Amino acid sequence: MTLHSLFRRLGAVLLGFAGSTGAFAADPLNVTGDKFRQLEELLPTPNTYRAASGAPGHAYWQQQADYDIKVSLDDDKQRISASETITYTNNSPDTLRYLWLQLDQNRFKPDSSGNLAAPVDVQSIAPDTIPFGSFRREVVSAEFEGGYQITKVADAKGHDLRHTIVDTGMRIDLPQPLKSGDSVSFRVDWEYNIIEQKALGGRSGYEYFERDGNYLYEIAQWFPRMAAYNDVSGWQNKQFLGRGEFALEFGDYRVAIEVPADHIVASTGVLQNPDDVLTREQRARLRQARTAKKPVMIVTKDEALENEKDRARGRKTWVFEAENVRDFAWASSRKFLWDAQGYKKGGTDTMAMSFYPEEGTPLWDKYSTEAIIHTMDVYNRYSFDYPYPTSISVNGPVGGMEYPMITFNGPRPEIDEEDREKRTYSRRTKYGLISVIIHEVGHNYYPMIVNSDERQWTWMDEGLNTYVQFLAEQEWEEKYPSRRGDARKIVEYMKSENQVPIMTNSESILQFGNNAYGKPATALNILRESIMGRELFDFAFREYAQRWKFKRPMPADFFRTMEDASGMDLDWFWRGWFYTTDHVDISLDQVKHYTVGTKNPDVEGPWKREKFEQEPETVTKQKNRAQRMTRIVDGKPELADFYNEHDEFDVSNEDRNSYRGMLEGLDDWEKDLLNVESNVYVLDFSNIGGLVMPLFLKLDYEDGSSEELRIPAEIWTRNAKNTSKMLVRGKDKILKSVALDPHWETADTNVENNYYPRRIIKSRLELFKEEESRNLMKDWEVELKED
């Protein structure tokens, strides 16, 4: 039986079909699920600091924290000793009696809350074996003498200040309250042991190279830093447990870094004394690199290998200055190669630079600096022009981490220890390096400039950045193997159990990578590609970045700006994707075919008789035929009258008079509609997953033609569980099949119910094999070209 004939058998008079709205009123909360309820009850009330449009209010303020730091690196003991002077300016309308500082290194004290409260992942434990990595971390954490040794806290005149250390925070009690508009300067001296990053994890640390006995240091979260004080939460002094990263203030820095004389230092900021720390050749190469078309080696491989051989006895101090940054990080090693290339476009004029050990070649020297420049080129278009004078990528023990102007990235090629000149790297390693550099350099935009509160909302930096990362990856080359961003990549997570909403505190997130990175990035990509359209989305997203660069946005500021700048009500989208764990599973339940009822009894009567006669002979049909001749009343036959003697499909004068009366009330164009031969289809949908989304349809017709239809999500406003859509097509447009979400744009978790009639869906294994075959063919074609 063809679908056409099936539809014909289901045919009915269209004007006899009507959907009742009474069900909507019966139980509105249960039926609609409140999917389109506005978010105003959840979002903070707009005020003079944060406007209802999502922009900073006319009285917006933020604090300023400036630092002058002197630090010394002990390469023998892997230890830091330092002293800083902080000048803190109170731009808030409040008077402050005490200040809060972050002491992130205290996270590595054996008795820190982060260590004591760290649960074990029981799912990773075999029946009688603990994973070695977990065991090693537990043992090392218990034995390592981590955390700050605060040796002095004093005012500008050297007088001791009362202070209280609370785990990873320190409160300084001020002798005099700090009034609005005033500043205070104070000094903090400290020391700490640098962690071995591979043993304890974390976002900084050292790496030891057994081959040559040298160390590579990536130093971050290393100095006592001012906690944020803002209009939303007051002091942001939540303890650092390991996940919630930063909530910091912008300021100006001057940092003097004393290291062994043969070390090369990469750092936030601009080097102030190149004549003291660089050779004449290295300074000349830096000048050349500013206008070069390709990266220029500032410290060559031969120079780095020479540095590895002998340890210098003397020491040098590298001095860096940075303006309007919210943090400061640096790296140091005698093993570093260093390449650089200038990038100048629009409002950006910067030096892209990469620092890596010889073990990083030939991968890092080929891709790192190129990836930095590519990232800025793409992010500038979607956000704002990169404003800082340097952008640095460092290879060391940290797999991926960001700080202003400097990022720590992996991985490296595989080295043949018997012949160290033999280096190989896999496709995964190559794209892993490019992706991590794009991601971490991208973090300079979010959150290092658009200064969101990561201690509370991880998605505001990781999710937004992963979204733009996806755009940058796809521009690197066609069919770039992005891990996150595409709707298909998030399906398994969306239908998984043990989830929490995106709008969850950073320390309470479950399935961290999918929740904070993948889901928000995919949501924004769907919003751009399938709901808002690129033009509207890009304008609104860039408006958010422009409004909040060098300021501190909150979630409501992002949601409101996206709606304000686009003119679209997206509360249903934020509610579903960010505030719930609903997933997309919309079913195309059935397709019904109707013909338009003419209401002409001389046409409809014979048509009804014909349909009745075509129905299969059943007991019910025989009974109906008999009852036309003899009416049954209270179980007893009644004498037949005129109406029983005539066929129910016969047309009476009363029918004709009623028809003529109906025609008199119609306009001419309405009368013409009654005679149009149209195919009318009603498509029924059910929302199984709970997440309302637009309906994207592909309609295939029996004449070989097809069309695509995009129906907004607002079709679910009256009933968020079930909805129907009527389609009117010409008499020659006989529907053959319908596909819902044919391009898999909405992250629908069950595509088996997306087709009418139902079809066999290929398994994941079959799809994987097809993809592998395409990749092998592509690689083979490349090899042929190279040969």
Side-chain angles (χ1 to χ4, degrees), residues 34-291:
D34 250 5
K35 306 296 184 181
F36 289 84
R37 190 171 179 173
Q38 295 295 284
L39 280 181
E40 294 307 312
E41 63 187 7
L42 299 177
L43 303 182
T45 303
N47 52 45
T48 58
Y49 308 133
R50 298 172 188 273
S53 66
H58 66 269
Y60 175 83
W61 55 267
Q62 64 187 32
Q63 310 292 61
Q64 171 94 7
D66 302 322
Y67 298 81
D68 189 335
I69 308 175
K70 296 179 175 61
V71 56
S72 178
L73 170 65
D74 188 331
D75 190 35
D76 295 320
K77 298 181 180 180
Q78 288 69 59
R79 187 171 175 84
I80 287 286
S81 58
S83 176
E84 67 181 355
T85 297
I86 302 176
T87 300
Y88 184 76
T89 302
N90 180 16
N91 293 319
S92 80
D94 308 324
T95 297
L96 304 177
R97 295 194 304 108
Y98 47 81
L99 308 176
W100 278 98
L101 279 71
Q102 295 185 18
L103 304 180
D104 287 358
Q105 284 300 316
N106 281 1
R107 161 71 176 80
F108 298 102
K109 285 188 171 183
D111 61 349
S112 71
S113 295
N115 273 333
L116 295 177
V120 63
D121 180 9
V122 295
Q123 294 181 347
S124 68
I125 301 176
D128 57 357
T129 305
I130 294 289
F132 177 72
S134 301
F135 171 74
R136 179 184 62 183
R137 189 175 295 109
E138 188 71 20
V139 172
V140 174
S141 296
E143 296 180 354
F144 179 69
E145 296 181 6
Y148 292 105
Q149 295 179 18
I150 303 293
T151 57
K152 192 174 188 63
V153 180
D155 63 18
K157 297 181 179 179
H159 301 140
D160 290 343
L161 291 173
R162 287 186 56 188
H163 61 279
T164 302
I165 294 177
V166 183
D167 202 17
T168 60
M170 178 169 68
R171 190 190 73 237
I172 297 178
D173 299 327
L174 299 174
Q176 300 294 330
L178 184 63
K179 296 181 180 179
S180 175
D182 288 351
S183 298
V184 62
S185 294
F186 57 94
R187 172 182 167 185
V188 181
D189 296 351
W190 76 95
E191 298 178 353
Y192 75 86
N193 294 320
I194 305 170
I195 67 168
E196 183 179 1
Q197 201 278 335
K198 296 297 183 184
L200 285 174
R203 295 169 173 82
S204 64
Y206 71 81
E207 178 180 6
Y208 176 67
F209 292 80
E210 188 173 357
R211 177 182 66 85
D212 51 75
N214 285 303
Y215 293 84
L216 190 159
Y217 301 91
E218 292 180 323
I219 307 299
Q221 295 171 279
W222 57 284
F223 60 101
R225 304 173 294 176
M226 291 304 307
Y229 183 81
N230 61 66
D231 60 285
V232 174
S233 57
W235 284 109
Q236 175 49 286
N237 52 12
K238 293 181 182 295
Q239 297 298 324
F240 178 48
L241 301 179
R243 279 185 173 176
E245 293 178 346
F246 308 112
L248 301 168
E249 305 288 6
F250 285 104
D252 299 334
Y253 287 73
R254 180 178 175 84
V255 181
I257 305 171
E258 183 190 85
V259 296
D262 51 4
H263 271 219
I264 297 294
V265 177
S267 175
T268 298
V270 176
L271 181 63
Q272 301 297 300
N273 61 334
D275 292 349
D276 298 335
V277 295
L278 301 179
T279 66
R280 180 180 299 176
E281 292 80 5
Q282 290 166 347
R283 297 197 301 272
R285 294 167 188 163
L286 267 176
R287 290 191 294 270
Q288 176 191 352
R290 184 158 293 281
T291 56

Side-chain angles (χ1 to χ4, degrees), residues 639-656:
L639 291 177
D641 61 10
F642 170 82
Y643 298 102
N644 296 109
E645 295 173 357
H646 288 76
D647 194 302
E648 65 175 311
F649 301 118
D650 286 348
V651 179
S652 67
N653 288 332
E654 182 181 2
D655 295 331
R656 294 187 178 96

Side-chain angles (χ1 to χ4, degrees), residues 617-633:
E617 190 71 21
T618 63
V619 173
T620 301
K621 186 175 179 180
Q622 294 172 355
K623 183 178 180 181
N624 289 342
R625 184 183 290 111
Q627 286 182 344
R628 288 205 305 272
M629 300 304 298
T630 304
R631 188 180 177 193
I632 305 299
V633 177

